[in-house]
Amino acid sequence: MPNLRRVIFATIYLTCSVAVADLTEGGKYADITDLKHPLAKSLVAVNQLGMEQSHHGNGFFWGPNGCFVVTNFHVAFAKAKIDRKMDWIYPTRREFVQNAKRHRLNIRADLDPDTGEFRRNLEGRVIRYANYDRTTTNNSAGDDIAILKLYEPGTETPACVGQAFVPQLSLDHTVIADGFLPNLNVIHLFKTGANSARVFVNTTPCQSAPYLVPGGTAATCDLRDGASGSILFQTIDTRSVIVVGLSANHSTLSSAMSAANVGAINRNLKVALEDEGISPQIINAFFEWSANWRLERTPAPTKGAQ
């Protein structure tokens, strides 16, 4: 009996320890789940099937009619990261070529800010991926992209549930090497259970950083483990935020984090939509809308400026 009591106590202690874990990592991230941020419902949690209890990565609604999600290649096809190396779901090239298209993932979407529970459990199938080299860790962020089509789990019924959650403004450009973007931040989900999560932003905003590889953008924001596939955004005023890119990784080309910019995302999405038989009118309407926002880029501050 004493041994049983010790086991029960240990179980209760461990359960409580998990429940009170500091998800802000010492104040580096602010929990904004209850603040109803304009991008919070754009985010989805992405997991390999059968691994829904764990926290894996993020994605967000993108494209026409709310039927599609964009995430990172490494989120879509890796089980885990071990010592900076990916544990790929299809370890050999032959397995990857045979199975990558239509690879299935678990998607949790429509987070209720009052309960912290997801309202939708969906299946995402890979319909397009960028030219990511799995043999190296030195990929451009612009190649770390996968496009998913949403379905009701275990069926052939498309789940176009994200129409209201596609971000309203985006900065569609190729490279921010010739401009300076202030007031950047990262918004991401962190799962706390199979069907629950919290929403976080960095407590310290950041700015763009040089990143000369086409398709990529860099920023001085901190990117926590598990935030891959989240949204790099710019705050314009208290009511307006703009999607700048898809958070990918800490850049190996600078001390900043890297992201696939909206231009790279849209190039891959366009091919995916065409392959899915979406009409040119719908595709063009989305890209005209997505490219609608044009920001007058601010010159980078000069040394010695006050």
Side-chain angles (χ1 to χ4, degrees):
M1 184 64 70
N3 290 339
L4 179 60
R5 281 200 294 267
R6 281 197 294 270
V7 169
I8 293 172
F9 176 79
T11 303
I12 294 173
Y13 175 78
L14 287 172
T15 302
C16 293
S17 297
V18 171
V20 299
D22 179 16
L23 295 179
T24 71
E25 295 189 8
K28 289 168 63 177
Y29 312 104
D31 186 337
I32 62 165
T33 308
D34 301 327
L35 297 184
K36 301 177 178 60
H37 190 279
L39 292 177
K41 289 213 171 190
S42 303
L43 292 165
V44 302
V46 181
N47 278 82
Q48 300 296 337
L49 292 178
M51 301 174 66
E52 291 84 356
Q53 291 287 345
S54 63
H55 174 76
H56 185 53
N58 285 231
F60 56 91
F61 288 109
W62 199 249
N65 303 325
C67 309
F68 306 94
V69 159
V70 60
T71 188
N72 294 127
F73 180 104
H74 77 265
V75 171
F77 293 113
K79 292 182 287 185
K81 184 166 67 173
I82 304 171
D83 296 330
R84 288 184 55 81
K85 292 184 178 180
M86 297 298 171
D87 181 12
W88 297 110
I89 198 86
Y90 304 119
T92 68
R93 176 172 175 76
R94 181 178 179 181
E95 288 176 293
F96 179 79
V97 170
Q98 290 176 338
N99 298 291
K101 278 288 186 74
R102 300 292 169 176
H103 173 63
R104 302 183 181 205
L105 296 146
N106 177 253
I107 305 294
R108 299 295 168 108
D110 192 8
L111 186 71
D112 185 334
D114 297 318
T115 65
E117 299 277 329
F118 292 104
R119 294 191 178 104
R120 297 304 304 260
N121 177 31
L122 304 167
E123 182 178 282
R125 300 180 192 174
V126 176
I127 58 172
R128 168 79 180 175
Y129 50 85
N131 189 30
Y132 189 95
D133 184 354
R134 301 192 307 159
T135 65
T136 178
T137 58
N138 193 28
N139 278 281
S140 164
D143 292 327
D144 199 356
I145 298 171
I147 307 294
L148 316 178
K149 186 175 181 180
L150 298 173
Y151 290 83
E152 297 295 344
T155 76
E156 297 302 315
T157 305
C160 296
V161 301
Q163 190 163 16
F165 308 142
V166 177
Q168 294 301 302
L169 297 173
S170 67
L171 182 60
D172 190 347
H173 62 340
T174 303
V175 180
I176 308 181
D178 59 341
F180 172 73
L181 293 180
N183 301 322
L184 299 183
N185 209 320
V186 175
I187 183 169
H188 67 276
L189 291 172
F190 196 93
K191 284 182 72 179
T192 55
N195 197 50
S196 60
R198 308 298 294 174
V199 181
F200 294 91
V201 295
N202 294 358
T203 52
T204 304
C206 65
Q207 63 193 40
S208 61
Y211 192 90
L212 302 179
V213 179
T217 290
T220 58
C221 299
D222 181 79
L223 188 67
R224 81 189 294 173
D225 288 342
S228 294
S230 56
I231 303 174
L232 176 67
F233 71 95
Q234 183 181 39
T235 300
I236 300 302
D237 54 41
T238 56
R239 293 176 299 174
S240 299
V241 293
I242 296 174
V243 174
V244 174
L246 167 73
S247 302
N249 213 326
H250 291 287
S251 172
T252 57
L253 303 179
S254 71
S255 59
M257 62 157 280
S258 63
N261 65 39
V262 172
I265 297 169
N266 283 349
R267 284 193 294 277
N268 283 277
L269 178 65
K270 184 174 187 294
V271 175
L273 296 179
E274 290 171 344
D275 289 347
E276 289 294 303
I278 306 297
S279 74
Q281 291 84 358
I282 292 176
I283 295 174
N284 292 338
F286 175 77
F287 288 121
E288 286 174 11
W289 165 83
S290 177
N292 238 354
W293 184 262
R294 287 290 183 263
L295 183 69
E296 292 297 327
R297 286 176 287 185
T298 308
T302 58
K303 289 185 177 180
Q306 296 299 314

